[in-house]
Amino acid sequence: MKKVSCFFCILLLMVFSGAGCREKERTVLQTASGNGSDETAYGDAIIEGTIGEPTVLIPMLAGDSASHNVAGMIFNGLVKYDTDLSVIGDLAESWDISPDGLVITFHLRKGVKWADGVEFTSDDVMFGYKTIIDEKTPTAYKEDFLQVKKAETPDKHTFKVTYERPFAPALTSWGGLVVLPRHLLEGKDITKTEFARKPVGLGPYALTKWAQGQELALDSYKGYFEGRPYIDRYIYRVIPDPATMFLELQAGGIDMMGLTPIQYTKQTENDFFRNNFQKFRYPVFAYTHMAFNLKHPWFKDKRVRKAIAYAIDKNEIVDVVLFGLGSPATGPYVPNTWPYNPNVEKYGYNPEKAKQLLKEAGWLDTDGDGILEKDGRPFSFTILTNMGNNLRKNTATIIQWRLAKIGIRVEIKALEWSTFVNEFIDKRRFEAVLLGWSIGLDPDQYDIWHSSKTKEKEFNFISYSNPEVDELLDKGRRTFALEERKKAYFRIQEILADEVPYIFLYVPDATPIVHARFKGIKPSPIGISYNLPKWYVPKKLQRHSMEQ
Amino acid sequence: MPVYLIKRIFEMIPTLFGITLITFFIIHLAPGKPSDIFSELNPKITPEAREKLEKYYGLDKPIMVQYGLWLKKVVRLDFGESFSSDRRPVMQKIWDRKKPLLERRLFVTFMINIISVVIILLIAIPIGISSAVRRNSLFDKITTTTVFVGFAMPSFWLALLLMMFFGVYLHWLPISQLKSMNFDSLSFSGKILDVARHLVLPLFVSAFGGIAGDSRFMRSSMLEVIRQDFVTVARAKGLPEHLVIYRHALRNALLPLVTLIGLSVPGLIGGSVIFENIFGIPGMGQLFYMAVMTRDYPLVMCILTIGSMLTLIGNLLADIGYMIADPRIRAR
């Protein structure tokens, strides 16, 4: 028994030694909520919680979002999206597009230096381009660059690419993937180099420390071409469990994280969070939908698809599943962005119309059991979705309940992701699926809707085919003129709304939370972190000091 | 005895071989491929690019060939390169020689499990003895109840409650990870204290269930022993009660526990996966979880091989311990 009491002594000791720190942290939280002058100042650190650890910091090799987030701080591209989704220069000062849309000439900024002091030139872009199209580079982002017929560097600050055919998404493909320091990487095997874990970039931050499984620390790059970032240090802490991360936020261990709907609407609605944090909300570039297998005899009939659309209350799904943190979707684009067409059929909840349409299509409850029949077969189908995504499962459950009301029986089956994709989507073994698409900022969705993309492993897995849509998709990606593109994508949305190959359900909101001491955050349609180098903490509120 | 030992060690080799064969096949049977992380539902990837990725990972060959290639390397103690996009050697991920001990995943997991086993034994054995000796006393009843609560409590839930109370409400203990962010600037004793403070909650959670189980086991084993004749003889001789219990009964009662510890290795590794994820501890369990999720075959295989090796060694050590402790076994 003696040993037992001994152990408790140790435990008590540890606890007491912890008490000292507690005082300190409390006072820090106090000053954070106090009023200080809001002048910009250098210094302090921001700590973001991340669920996954980055694997590789060369953007073209990375497949996970954690890697892209961190690499995005270290590397810049030639162009980037402005807050209104127009394309503006980043490392390229300006660019010209030839009248036939085949040649893009980028004029690069002069005097930009890599973090090791070497000047950035068009050779670095050329090197990145050659690396990404290299046979031996295992990258998922090759496709856009294989369209390039010819790339040239007429001088140190000019980079010129020629395409076979005009290709509108081409411009933004020169975003963040292909600028790599040639002087450090030339002649090396990019998959094996140390560079992937000790990158040298030219972005606002530079990696200084990577403690495996724990954290990555990035220090501000004082020579950043848009000016030294105000916040001296950016730290990513790897915390795999979301519940733990939320507790860390409350304990002061992290400054910034993404909240779940319930955390946003309930758990952070108290004085502690109101005083110490700021919450943001903006639509994610993604939508959730229910897709029909258009090869299925029942779903071939447009009236049936329309009826189901009328029978589902999208607002109800947003309110119940997302706690109101989202908006009903009407097409494959995010509301309030330039390709989004607000004037399409929205399919408000209308069960009577749904029943009417089903009746026209020959579906009647002949035996009085509450379920519709046609040719003696009851209307019963299965919605497949992937396991582990509760939002989708809850959405499916609501749909199941709503469709039961108009006499359609729905089963829900949740499958493990790989099984779901390999065995059901790829083999077309489904009646309806509930899935989501993340959409790029460019409106080109050729791969999802074009009738040529229906082979196994391709993304038009519902076998959608409409010659007019095919033509418009092609037109949309072959011109750089915004008005022309807009017209094409508006028309596509009209057709999709009329034909209902998908029922577009909702666009979820991103809901990040940031500690209140950070100022200068300007929410926009592309989120909050686009102007991170301009965030700052007024001198009085700074919590961490960097002693080197 | 040496002959027996050598025989046992040689028996381990085919067992290990069998384990790797079965796990290799099961893992490859699970749907999905390592290249999926790039290619699943990514509209930017063409079928040709997908094939190239699969070829790059060597997944285009028949599974028997893949196993053969893997085995050929492993015999030379080369576990290959990870399939994740950093392409680092698997061994480096688990045991990076260039990093301090606390950043080597295998070390972290090993350290926590050993401390946890020690704590379990230090607490479970006395509790087990006391409740056996004072059977049906108030102490026995309280520990029995506590133990069943401990059994029933899901460890992740307990972990969250403790974090909330000690980390958020009281601010006494750090919530997650193994060290503070200013760790590098601390003195040596400061570093030890820092790690110790981070370890309090994970150790408590990982030991809690073990204490519950092992103390029950100890209790029943002790009860059985003190009912035997030689204990009655010892008492009849007039030996003081504490000598009867601690010298004569305890040694016999401990025997089954030795086997139990040897067998608990796989459970500990499994437990590590859970608490390392909750507490954000950079150990092997966390790595294993990520590896399975991304179908990183070489990494999964390496961790499983190390795990099964440890289990086999644990069994062997238990047998040896048993022989040392029990003359009846040694005689055979």
Side-chain angles (χ1 to χ4, degrees), chain A residues 487-508:
Chain A
K487 242 191 260 161
Y489 294 121
F490 267 44
R491 178 73 192 126
I492 289 177
Q493 285 167 82
E494 278 167 20
I495 300 171
L496 290 180
D498 176 57
E499 297 210 310
V500 207
Y502 283 7
I503 294 176
F504 300 98
L505 295 168
Y506 60 79
V507 175

Side-chain angles (χ1 to χ4, degrees), chain A residues 206-210 216-219 233-234 548:
Chain A
L207 187 75
T208 42
K209 183 181 152 204
W210 187 340
L216 288 90
L218 294 95
D219 280 357
R233 182 170 277 197
Y234 201 100
Q548 242 99 52

